[in-house]
Amino acid sequence: MSQFCARKLLVATPLIGDGNFERTVVLLLEHTADGAIGLVLNRPSELAVAKLLTGWENVGGVLFSGGPVSPESLIGLAHEWPGGTEMGWTRLIGDIGSVNLSLGAGQLGGETGPRLFFGYAGWEADQLESEIDSGAWFVVDPEPSDVLTDDPEGLWSAVLARQPNELSWFANYPDNLRAN
């Protein structure tokens, strides 16, 4: 794949061959000639935001595993709020954007605050293109509702089900072919 596909979704195919990404949906944040960075959108962890981060005690929800690279880093995504762009909010898709987490939970707007991801998915130059060309990823357009979905476990199937033609058939692909 020669074109860069930032702001697209990467949907893992059954050929992915990497347990870190099996049945994942990745929002591609950046894709240049030097490589790519994305966030796995459908891997909630067992870790509660309020119990792990000082100053975030009033924020509900769990931390999401954004990918295997740099698991000590945090990235936040949130709906836009009044004054958000002046307060470190940067649009990604629709009314969803990244937030400057150094502002703290109290200044980031919204009742629930941002969705927090630890780690991210990363690819070196030409690595992602090679994986796409080998059939490990479907590249599809996102919908804003995908990014902060209330059903992360169902996201992989939901994204595939709305695709045109035969691609939608993969939404019903069994977890284990031997159990089929």
Side-chain angles (χ1 to χ4, degrees):
M1 169 174 225
S2 60
Q3 66 186 28
F4 299 125
C5 51
R7 307 301 192 268
K8 296 283 190 174
L9 293 180
L10 300 175
V11 181
T13 76
L15 301 176
I16 191 73
D18 182 339
N20 287 315
F21 294 105
E22 187 174 315
R23 290 186 179 256
T24 58
V25 177
V26 176
L27 173 62
L28 204 53
L29 300 174
E30 183 175 322
H31 188 196
T32 68
D34 296 327
I37 294 174
L39 286 176
V40 175
L41 298 176
N42 60 330
R43 295 285 170 161
S45 75
E46 300 294 320
L47 307 172
V49 171
K51 293 195 184 250
L52 292 176
L53 298 173
T54 304
W56 294 76
E57 293 80 11
N58 294 326
V59 175
V62 299
L63 287 169
F64 278 66
S65 175
V69 179
S70 191
E72 69 283 352
S73 66
L74 282 177
I75 297 174
L77 301 180
H79 289 281
E80 185 174 17
W81 66 92
T85 54
E86 292 85 30
M87 305 250 331
W89 182 88
T90 304
R91 184 177 314 279
L92 294 172
I93 298 168
D95 73 338
I96 307 293
S98 63
V99 296
N100 178 352
L101 295 177
S102 67
L103 295 173
Q107 295 183 14
L108 290 176
E111 292 180 12
T112 60
R115 177 164 293 172
L116 300 179
F117 297 83
F118 62 90
Y120 58 90
W123 295 266
E124 295 178 354
D126 300 321
Q127 181 183 4
L128 179 57
E129 292 83 352
S130 176
E131 290 180 14
I132 292 169
D133 289 344
S134 70
W137 298 102
F138 297 124
V139 180
V140 302
D141 290 325
E143 291 185 1
S145 60
D146 296 333
V147 179
L148 301 176
T149 180
D150 291 332
D151 182 20
E153 290 83 6
L155 184 61
W156 186 83
S157 293
V159 168
L160 288 171
R162 72 170 185 250
Q163 300 309 309
N165 305 317
E166 291 84 12
L167 186 55
S168 67
W169 299 350
F170 283 93
N172 299 314
Y173 197 86
D175 288 338
N176 182 349
L177 283 176
R178 293 183 181 154
N180 191 14

